[in-house]
Every structure is written in C-alpha cells, then in structure tokens.
Amino acid sequence: MKKVLITGGAGFIGSAVVRQFMTETDCSVVNVDKLTYAGNLQSLASVSDNPRYAFEQVDICDAAELTRVFAQHQPDAVMHLAAESHVDRSITGPADFIQTNIVGTYTLLEAARAYWNALDTARKAAFRFHHISTDEVYGSLGDTGFFTEETAYEPNSPYSASKASSDHLVRAWHHTYGFPVVTTNCSNNYGSFHFPEKLIPLVILNAVNGKPLPIYGKGDNIRDWLYVDDHARALRVVLASGKLGETYNIGGWNEKTNLEVVQTICDILDELRPQNAPHAQLITYVQDRPGHDKRYAIDANKIANELGWKPQETFTTGLRKTVEWYLNNSAWIQGVTSGDYQQWISKQYAA
C-alpha cells in the first residue's frame, strides 16, 4: 500500500499502527481523528514531522469533510479504528457510541465507496477497506472454548452492540456493493500510550501514587491480553494479505483473570518501585459492572495459519515493558489526565 488513511490514528491502537507505518515501511499515512478525550497527538510526536505523515482533524460523521479528505489525499487503503471504546462510558452514556460507531462507520463507508467507485481500474482493484473491531461482539464464554470467526454475535453492552452493528454494516457493504473489505476482531490490548481509564494503565498509575487499585466484583473475569505492537503488526498483515470479505480474529493466547493482571503489575512494581508495603495491599474490590461478561478468549489460528502472524510478546514480557513505559513517561501521562478525566474516574470507581 502506498498511502493508507487511518481513522482514529491518535488513539491507543491507531497511534501504534501509525508509528509502525512510519518507522517500518515506506508507506504514507493520513491520520483522520476527531481528537476526543482519548485522542492524543502527543502519542505521535515521534513521527509528526515525517513528510509521509499527514493529520486531518475530522469527525467520521461529517460526510462533507470525509469526501474532501478522500479527494485531497487519494488513499490506496483505509484502516478504520475510530470508535468510542470504553464499556463503562457506554453504560452511562450510550448515545456517543451509537453516533460514532454506527453512524460514523456508515458515513465513512459511503464516502470510501464513492471514492472507490471513481478510481481507475487498477487502483480500484487494489483498494482495501480494513475494519478493526473487538471480540466483545461475540458476548461471553463459559469456562472452556474460544471465539472463532464463526462464533455467533451476542453483544452484551452498548459498546459491543455498537461495534457489532458496525461489523454488520461493513459485511453488508461488501456483499451488496462488492466493496473490498476485510475485518478483524481483537482481544484486549495493552501497552504504551494507553489512556489511563483502562485497567492496566489505571492500576499502574494508581499503584505508584499509593491510590486504591479498583477491581470489579471478585476479580475473576477473564480476558485474553494482546500487546498493542503485536496487534498493529497483525493489522498490517491483514491489510496487505487478508482475503477480501474475510474476518480474522487476533488474540494473544494470554488468558488472565483481572485479579491475576493486577497482582502481576504489583509484583513488577514491588521490584521496580519498592515501597514500604507490597503494592497488592492497595487492591480494592468495587461493585461489579452491570452485565459484566465473564470470559473472553480468542482462537487466533486462522491468522496464524493463513497469514503467518503470531504474537511476539508473551504477557510477561509485554506487561513488564508496559509498566516500565508508564514509569518513564510522566510528561505524556500528565498531558492526558485532565481535571474532567479525574472527576470521571473518581466517580466511576468509587468503592
């Protein structure tokens, strides 16, 4: 791909993808991001001066602006990562999730389809629209089994329902219009530049500041953890080599309970930032999230067997890198933790 348009490129996963394109390929990138609270251009400071990088502050619900961006930048592919993504926020304020994740995806699909229809034969044949989604669309697993690409959708939160809706739109645009799409559904990401409302960065930052470490319910909910740079590599592989109309599940083969995750972070911090008492003494159990899914686990054999991707990081190596990054990047952390954010966190995780 010569030029890739990435929506949500200032977000956690999107910025990892942008940084990889800038440092590991000769592709050009157009970053389209509305810059909501979770979009942060500081995450792209290392590549912002690269002549192959362009930024457009555009809402994906704005059809006219999207049409301008496509006409001006002439991309060869789209990677659609822009989304409202925090389950807790979707429970207290679902309207933004419906607007961005469903209406925004529809608006982007239509702008991209109109642009694609006007391309010459060769560029039209090479064009790709890569939709990036989540394993939460599949619902909750029991004690055994894995999500596969054939698992029926059963979303249980406003967030996952909105993402499931966007997945269905993308599939319909391929089936109805022949629009060239690929879709990926990933497990829980973690790593550097992660907005501090999510479990792993929240626990790291609370622990180093001696604050309570909130865990929902009994801490026995299970997630499959995927290092964000591994995910970014997988997305690039799917964009380049994925079969049109296909879905690829991306997971880290790292099932952990939330309590295990928090305890492991505490063990790493006890080594790297020892205090008078073990960090695990800060663990606090709070009221469980409404409709909290019990277990997610992804079968990532399809992408491994067909496209040759496997994660490079284990949970042990990836989590240590993550903790070290947060300990060494206080300026970035301070830049994203605004007063409004702190008030929301305090209210959300009140014991």
Side-chain angles (χ1 to χ4, degrees):
M1 298 298 171
K2 296 178 181 179
K3 182 180 286 189
V4 182
L5 188 156
I6 299 176
T7 70
F12 171 45
I13 300 171
S15 65
V17 176
V18 173
R19 290 191 301 271
Q20 281 192 14
F21 269 120
M22 291 293 95
T23 58
E24 300 181 15
T25 79
D26 59 359
C27 290
S28 297
V29 167
V30 181
N31 174 12
V32 175
D33 199 297
K34 184 182 177 180
L35 293 184
T36 60
Y37 76 96
N40 182 10
L41 292 180
Q42 293 181 48
S43 302
L44 295 166
S46 63
V47 303
S48 60
D49 293 332
N50 193 308
R52 293 185 286 111
Y53 172 77
F55 172 67
E56 292 277 2
Q57 186 171 355
V58 169
D59 185 343
I60 60 169
C61 295
D62 189 333
E65 275 293 274
L66 287 177
T67 298
R68 176 192 64 79
V69 168
F70 275 99
Q72 178 177 333
H73 293 281
Q74 295 287 305
D76 301 296
V78 173
M79 298 180 79
H80 177 33
L81 293 107
E84 293 285 347
S85 65
H86 194 250
V87 175
D88 292 342
R89 287 181 181 268
S90 80
I91 293 170
T92 58
D96 287 342
F97 290 73
I98 303 305
Q99 184 67 18
T100 298
N101 299 354
I102 302 177
V103 177
T105 297
Y106 159 75
T107 306
L108 178 66
L109 280 167
E110 282 295 84
R113 184 169 71 93
Y115 167 78
W116 170 71
N117 274 327
L119 293 174
D120 63 43
T121 302
R123 291 193 67 200
K124 188 174 184 180
F127 188 83
R128 297 289 183 272
F129 184 102
H130 181 180
H131 176 60
I132 290 86
S133 190
T134 172
D135 59 355
E136 296 194 35
V137 300
Y138 298 125
S140 184
L141 288 167
D143 293 335
T144 61
F146 297 89
F147 295 137
T148 72
E149 289 79 4
E150 286 73 43
T151 299
Y153 277 32
E154 195 173 345
N156 290 321
S157 70
Y159 162 63
S160 58
S162 69
K163 288 299 291 183
S165 299
S166 69
D167 291 8
H168 290 317
L169 287 173
V170 170
R171 182 183 182 278
W173 258 239
H174 175 69
H175 180 79
T176 302
Y177 304 112
F179 191 53
V181 308
V182 287
T183 297
T184 51
N185 296 80
C186 70
S187 58
N188 280 37
N189 279 224
Y190 70 101
S192 56
F193 298 100
H194 203 177
F195 197 76
E197 68 185 359
K198 300 301 178 72
L199 176 65
I200 287 178
L202 176 70
V203 168
I204 295 170
L205 298 179
N206 277 16
V208 297
N209 290 295
K211 297 180 179 180
L213 309 182
I215 298 181
Y216 281 131
K218 298 178 181 178
D220 55 355
N221 300 82
I222 296 171
R223 299 294 181 263
D224 172 17
W225 292 94
L226 174 65
Y227 192 62
V228 68
D229 290 334
D230 279 332
H231 185 201
R233 281 185 281 270
L235 295 180
R236 289 166 47 210
V237 168
V238 172
L239 181 69
S241 305
K243 183 179 178 181
L244 292 183
E246 290 290 311
T247 294
Y248 297 88
N249 283 351
I250 307 171
W253 299 106
N254 289 311
E255 286 187 65
K256 304 290 180 184
T257 67
N258 288 345
L259 183 57
E260 285 180 296
V261 172
V262 175
Q263 288 175 328
T264 304
I265 293 171
C266 290
D267 291 342
I268 295 171
L269 287 172
D270 286 344
E271 176 190 343
L272 299 179
R273 286 282 180 89
Q275 297 182 352
N276 294 329
H279 288 87
Q281 290 189 7
L282 297 169
I283 291 175
T284 303
Y285 296 93
V286 300
Q287 184 176 353
D288 205 357
R289 168 194 293 161
H292 199 175
D293 289 338
K294 181 66 174 180
R295 174 175 171 259
Y296 303 152
I298 272 186
D299 181 339
N301 279 310
K302 179 178 178 179
I303 188 173
N305 295 335
E306 295 187 10
L307 304 182
W309 175 88
K310 292 182 180 180
Q312 296 179 12
E313 299 289 344
T314 66
F315 187 71
T316 301
T317 61
L319 190 59
R320 175 171 285 271
K321 287 182 178 181
T322 302
V323 172
E324 290 175 342
W325 187 89
Y326 279 95
L327 294 179
N328 295 325
N329 286 273
S330 57
W332 182 89
I333 295 163
Q334 186 175 1
V336 301
T337 51
S338 68
D340 289 343
Y341 162 77
Q342 289 292 352
Q343 291 173 18
W344 186 85
I345 285 290
S346 297
K347 180 180 178 181
Q348 185 65 30
Y349 294 110

